[in-house]
Amino acid sequence: MTTEQELRQKLRKIAALFEGATTVGERDAAAEALDRIRAALIAAEETERAIEMSFRLPDRWNRRLFLALCRRYGLRPYRYPRQRYSTVVLRAPRSFINETLWPEYKEISQALEDYLHEATERIIREEVFGDADEAEEKIGIPPTQESVGGFLLESKD
């Protein structure tokens, strides 16, 4: 079972990995490491043409994480009028996106997803009902279904 404190520690380790920190002393100097990444981004912007890349993020939690990471590095994510909220557009050097931003986002996103899945399962089992497994699969042809309020209801004759 992962506690919130353990998750926070894991996120710090992931951030330290991408910031180049390998020792306790370097982790204490995380602000300097972040400055190094920002300086590398500025250098990449001077030598490499920035591209505009669109990201479709599956839910608001992933979108919020991605936006926070972008802003952490001084990037300004945006969206064009009439684009979905799930779309985030970013202008940055391709190498920075591919080698730093996206891999860090994926690792942190996976750590958060694992934690949230575990916490949700535990809360449902402890507070709602002990059996929170998936529905059993029945053999046969499914009956006709009707939709009510966005939910499919089984119609039995």
Side-chain angles (χ1 to χ4, degrees):
M1 177 169 62
T2 304
T3 66
E4 183 177 342
Q5 190 61 31
E6 290 170 332
L7 173 66
R8 287 174 183 272
Q9 197 171 27
K10 184 173 185 174
L11 294 179
R12 282 188 209 105
K13 286 179 182 178
I14 292 169
L17 173 69
F18 282 92
E19 291 166 356
T22 57
T23 66
V24 174
E26 274 190 282
R27 272 185 250 121
D28 292 340
E32 291 176 19
L34 188 54
D35 288 342
R36 284 195 306 271
I37 289 180
R38 287 182 181 147
L41 173 59
I42 291 168
E45 288 174 332
E46 291 172 359
T47 60
E48 185 181 339
R49 194 180 103 245
I51 61 164
E52 185 177 80
M53 191 175 283
S54 292
F55 299 86
R56 293 232 172 120
L57 302 159
D59 56 51
R60 65 180 168 173
W61 307 115
N62 278 290
R63 189 175 63 254
R64 289 177 67 134
L65 169 62
F66 186 75
L67 292 170
L69 277 174
C70 291
R71 291 176 181 136
R72 172 186 195 183
Y73 295 125
L75 299 170
R76 298 185 63 188
Y78 53 94
R79 185 176 65 249
Y80 288 107
R82 298 189 322 199
Q83 281 188 318
R84 296 178 182 264
Y85 283 106
S86 60
T87 301
V88 175
V89 182
L90 185 65
R91 189 163 196 70
R94 181 184 302 272
S95 63
F96 181 77
I97 293 170
N98 291 338
E99 295 167 18
T100 303
L101 183 66
W102 192 249
E104 185 175 10
Y105 161 76
K106 294 298 285 180
E107 276 203 51
I108 293 174
S109 176
Q110 186 62 54
L112 287 171
E113 185 177 323
D114 292 347
Y115 173 77
L116 292 173
H117 175 75
E118 188 177 292
T120 301
E121 287 289 320
R122 184 182 69 252
I123 291 168
I124 290 171
R125 287 189 198 298
E126 292 174 3
E127 303 300 329
V128 179
F129 192 72
D131 182 3
D133 293 336
E134 289 295 326
E136 68 179 88
E137 189 172 310
K138 286 192 168 188
I139 298 174
I141 300 171
T144 58
Q145 299 173 338
E146 58 184 86
S147 176
V148 174
F151 294 98
L152 289 177
L153 298 178
E154 198 172 286
S155 152
K156 291 191 177 185
D157 298 326

